[in-house]
Amino acid sequence: MCGIVGAVAQRNITPILLEGLKRLEYRGYDSCGVALHVDGELQRSRSTSRVADLELQINEAQLQGFTGIAHTRWATHGAPASHNAHPHFSPSADAARIALVHNGIIENHDELRAELTALGYVFQSQTDTEVIAHLVDHMYNGDLFDTVQQAVKRLTGAYAIAVFCREEPHRVVAARQGSPLIVGIGQGENFVASDAMALAGTTDQIIYLEEGDVVDLQLGRAWIVDSNGKQVQREVKTVQAHTGAAELGPYRHYMQKEIFEQPRVIGDTLEGVTGIMPELFGDGAYNVFKQIDRVLILACGTSYYSGLTAKYWIESVAKIPVNVEIASEYRYRDSVPHPNTLVVTISQSGETADTLAALKHARSLGMEHTLTICNVATSAMVRECKLAYITRAGVEVGVASTKAFTTQLAGLFLLTLALAQVNGRLSDTEEAGHLKAMRHLPVAIASVLALEPQIIAWAEDFARKENALFLGRGMHYPIALEGALKLKEISYIHAEAYPAGELKHGPLALVTEEMPVVTIAPNDALIEKLKSNMQEVRARGGQLYVFADVDSRITSGEGVHVIRLPEHYGLLSPILHVVSLQLLAYHSAVARGTDVDKPRNLAKSVTVE
């Protein structure tokens, strides 16, 4: 979601800040800005366009400085408008003393706004962030580090902030509570960012700030205190952030590139897996797996759908009951905890605020066996969980997740097999068969990608529609949910998914010849039931678009359009079928002319509740 970059150096940092913002564009944003300490004054430039537009503004104004902060904003409080864009100044743009950027949400902003208005502060925006800037200015005592430590005690909610002051050149102070923030250590210069990727190419020496930390960045030091004001030493890690992965190459959009990267990243994710063993998930995994008798999966959005798929796998293969919860709902409801539960979180970024909060809630209820399936080894999710499996999807720029989803499924299938093995439900023959199938996945996915020309033809039809239904049965029902989500995310076509057997319980009322019905039809035990559901659609004049396995005996005809996947893939079939749905969503969006990689109103890494 929102991105932060800040720097204190003895060189012009404007290019560093702009490059950092470019590296954070993948998160999604609707405005951006930079503030610099220039000749004893604070100057800034803000834009509701892309970072490239901001860069043109800054170059035209010839803004340069040695101390500064930058931000990409995804609107929460206040519309996506220039006056709401960060950085925010206080007391006013003409006589600004404080410049501040902020990720997160301040829950008591209304109370603080009323208090500061009574003190004479005039608000120029509708944001909760401007409240923090005025609060810091009001409390400023000549020492910015001390002031910020006192100011954050007044804040309720989640925040990562970076702030500098006109009176104190070569100093940036940053703090975090509930939103990620890292410090980059350089030679005679220091940096702060919301993501190590923002500093790739600038420094690889990274400190991950912990909850409640406040850091004082100066030229020669990075001084950190915890929430009690006590000086602490945080470990400096060498982090090789990915850079080349963000190059578009020959593809039209990042989403298209990432769809076509799936054979490689699935192979990378499974690299080195020569056998099924609990230790794939970390030291001590065997003892944990022997103790647990149920699984709780916590996730949001696309990751939630991967969890729903895993429920079918784990219950079928490992014979362990599984509950899958939407993280934002789980943390606020009364649930029945059980100490022998394996709590599994799933997150592409590892910083998803609702999932992190749900994890902490589960632990507070006494469930201490925790495991994460995550794409970022240095993320908060990995640090918070005792066990982890790191997928190797690489940087995913497109807001609509594709390769992160399929690599999550690969990791969850390995977890299924490991749990089955520990419980004595996986024979050597079965293990060998599953491993052979997983090693063949890259080739199988590539054969699905070869269907792109046929899917493009379908997309031309979909581009003229405003509604669509997706149907699946069994473990392909979550894949139908994911297909509908992809279509609505990037093409803005309203799409819903249902278990095919539920058609007659309501959704069938929507079916007309103007309603395309996408059907996932693998040749499994439910195929004959699914064919009956398809007849229900045809009887009402609905148009069927069927992704069928090669041997499913479903033929094209009036109102029935069929694309055949090259092979039936058993338990791993969901991974192949979702690739075809990704292509359908992508090409439908291209045909409609939408912003595929940055769909309206959405962000990549959701770091606010």
Side-chain angles (χ1 to χ4, degrees):
M1 195 169 281
C2 305
I4 288 174
V5 191
V8 176
Q10 293 176 301
R11 54 175 168 153
N12 176 30
I13 61 167
T14 304
I16 295 172
L17 298 180
L18 289 169
E19 182 61 27
L21 293 187
K22 291 176 184 177
R23 295 192 184 282
L24 294 176
E25 283 190 286
Y26 76 97
R27 290 170 170 249
Y29 64 103
D30 46 46
S31 63
C32 51
V34 168
L36 296 161
H37 198 291
V38 181
D39 297 329
E41 294 182 353
L42 305 189
Q43 296 189 25
R44 69 181 170 190
S45 182
R46 299 182 291 182
S47 173
T48 54
S49 186
R50 297 302 182 200
V51 173
D53 179 74
L54 176 69
E55 184 174 25
L56 290 174
Q57 291 179 204
I58 288 174
N59 290 340
E60 185 176 337
Q62 298 183 329
L63 282 182
Q64 297 185 5
F66 304 115
T67 301
I69 52 179
H71 192 264
T72 52
R73 175 181 185 253
W74 184 80
T76 53
H77 294 75
S82 294
H83 64 279
N84 287 324
H86 300 209
H88 286 283
F89 280 177
S90 183
S92 67
D94 295 333
R97 178 167 64 175
I98 298 296
L100 183 143
V101 293
H102 162 233
N103 290 353
I105 292 177
I106 304 304
E107 296 174 3
N108 62 333
H109 71 97
D110 282 335
E111 171 190 333
L112 292 171
R113 181 183 290 262
E115 177 184 326
L116 291 162
T117 299
L119 291 170
Y121 284 92
V122 177
F123 284 81
Q124 306 296 325
S125 76
Q126 289 81 48
T127 67
D128 52 343
T129 301
E130 191 179 5
V131 169
I132 314 174
H134 291 325
L135 181 65
V136 171
D137 181 77
H138 170 63
M139 298 180 69
Y140 184 66
N141 60 11
D143 184 329
L144 186 63
F145 186 45
D146 180 69
T147 298
V148 171
Q149 290 179 69
Q150 302 308 313
V152 295
K153 294 177 181 178
R154 299 287 316 279
L155 304 179
T156 301
Y159 58 81
I161 62 172
V163 54
F164 70 96
C165 178
R166 181 187 63 207
E167 317 301 336
E168 300 180 63
H170 289 120
R171 190 180 208 184
V172 170
V173 176
R176 69 152 295 193
Q177 181 70 48
S179 289
L181 203 62
I182 61 102
V183 170
I185 305 298
Q187 296 293 322
E189 57 187 18
N190 288 302
F191 310 91
V192 66
S194 50
D195 187 324
M197 184 178 172
L199 302 180
T202 299
T203 180
D204 61 0
Q205 299 300 292
I206 301 297
I207 296 172
Y208 290 89
L209 296 179
E210 297 187 9
E211 292 287 88
D213 282 357
V214 183
V215 59
D216 182 10
L217 296 178
Q218 299 187 39
L219 291 174
R221 77 170 193 177
W223 183 279
I224 302 172
V225 298
D226 62 17
S227 58
N228 297 316
K230 179 182 177 182
Q231 183 192 359
V232 290
Q233 297 292 327
R234 303 294 186 212
E235 181 183 359
V236 180
K237 298 183 178 182
T238 301
V239 176
Q240 299 296 334
H242 300 283
T243 56
E247 299 299 326
L248 186 57
Y251 297 97
R252 185 171 178 180
H253 299 94
Y254 284 106
M255 184 179 178
Q256 184 186 30
K257 177 193 176 192
E258 288 152 11
I259 290 171
F260 276 82
E261 284 177 338
Q262 287 174 114
R264 176 179 61 79
V265 298
I266 288 286
D268 290 346
T269 296
L270 300 176
E271 184 179 4
V273 179
T274 58
I276 301 302
M277 58 194 74
E279 289 72 23
L280 290 169
F281 298 88
D283 295 338
Y286 177 83
N287 290 332
V288 171
F289 291 176
K290 286 294 287 184
Q291 293 178 58
I292 63 103
D293 57 17
R294 63 199 65 193
V295 175
L296 169 64
I297 297 177
L298 303 172
C300 298
T302 286
S303 296
Y304 172 68
Y305 297 148
S306 70
L308 289 178
T309 307
K311 175 182 172 70
Y312 285 92
W313 286 339
I314 295 171
E315 292 190 343
S316 173
V317 179
K319 306 302 181 185
I320 298 173
V322 179
N323 190 26
V324 188
E325 297 265 7
I326 296 173
S328 59
E329 290 293 317
Y330 171 75
R331 60 184 291 205
Y332 290 120
R333 75 173 186 85
D334 291 331
S335 57
V336 181
H338 193 286
N340 294 337
T341 300
L342 177 64
V343 180
V344 178
T345 63
I346 310 171
S347 173
Q348 188 279 135
S349 67
E351 305 290 350
T352 309
D354 283 315
T355 308
L356 280 168
L359 170 64
K360 293 175 183 177
H361 176 65
R363 290 174 57 187
S364 74
L365 296 176
M367 294 183 285
E368 289 296 329
H369 302 310
T370 56
L371 181 152
T372 189
I373 306 292
C374 185
N375 190 41
V376 182
T378 54
S379 66
M381 203 78 72
V382 174
R383 299 196 300 274
E384 290 284 341
C385 288
K386 293 181 179 179
L387 303 174
Y389 191 84
I390 308 303
T391 60
R392 297 176 64 185
V395 175
E396 190 177 61
V397 177
V399 166
S401 181
T402 52
K403 62 178 180 173
F405 178 71
T406 49
T407 53
Q408 285 171 356
L409 290 177
L412 288 163
F413 192 72
L414 285 176
L415 176 61
T416 298
L417 299 181
L419 291 171
Q421 184 191 71
V422 169
N423 286 323
R425 299 185 179 276
L426 186 71
S427 68
D428 290 344
T429 301
E430 289 169 332
E431 177 181 340
H434 288 311
L435 285 172
K436 180 180 179 181
M438 294 192 81
R439 282 193 287 268
H440 184 61
L441 269 175
V443 174
I445 293 171
S447 67
V448 177
L449 293 171
L451 299 172
E452 186 179 34
Q454 297 177 56
I455 295 173
I456 291 173
W458 280 14
E460 295 295 331
D461 291 339
F462 272 72
R464 295 189 292 270
K465 306 297 183 181
E466 294 300 328
N467 302 280
L469 289 177
F470 285 69
L471 303 179
R473 297 201 73 144
M475 63 185 175
H476 292 86
Y477 166 52
I479 300 307
L481 287 166
E482 172 64 7
L485 176 63
K486 285 293 153 288
L487 187 68
K488 73 180 74 170
E489 278 183 309
I490 61 172
S491 73
Y492 314 146
I493 296 171
H494 174 248
E496 299 296 337
Y498 294 91
E502 287 295 295
L503 260 180
K504 53 185 149 317
H505 297 292
L508 202 56
L510 298 173
V511 172
T512 70
E513 62 181 10
E514 291 300 313
M515 173 75 79
V517 180
V518 180
T519 308
I520 304 168
N523 189 24
D524 58 17
L526 295 171
I527 186 63
E528 294 305 323
K529 297 289 187 184
L530 184 65
K531 288 178 181 178
S532 297
N533 302 140
M534 292 165 55
Q535 288 303 316
E536 294 169 0
V537 173
R538 283 300 303 131
R540 276 78 181 175
Q543 295 288 311
L544 285 164
Y545 292 80
V546 185
F547 287 105
D549 287 346
V550 68
D551 52 358
S552 61
R553 298 183 302 280
I554 298 175
T555 58
S556 297
E558 184 179 354
V560 182
H561 315 273
V562 179
I563 291 178
R564 299 189 184 282
L565 274 64
E567 55 187 308
H568 175 56
Y569 221 61
L571 285 172
L572 293 171
S573 173
I575 297 179
L576 300 191
H577 274 276
V578 80
V579 174
S580 63
L581 299 180
Q582 292 168 354
L583 286 170
L584 178 62
Y586 170 73
H587 285 292
S588 297
V590 170
R592 287 170 69 98
T594 63
D595 191 341
V596 173
D597 289 329
K598 299 181 178 66
R600 66 189 182 201
N601 304 333
L602 299 180
K604 184 65 182 175
S605 179
V606 184
T607 54
V608 297
E609 181 180 353

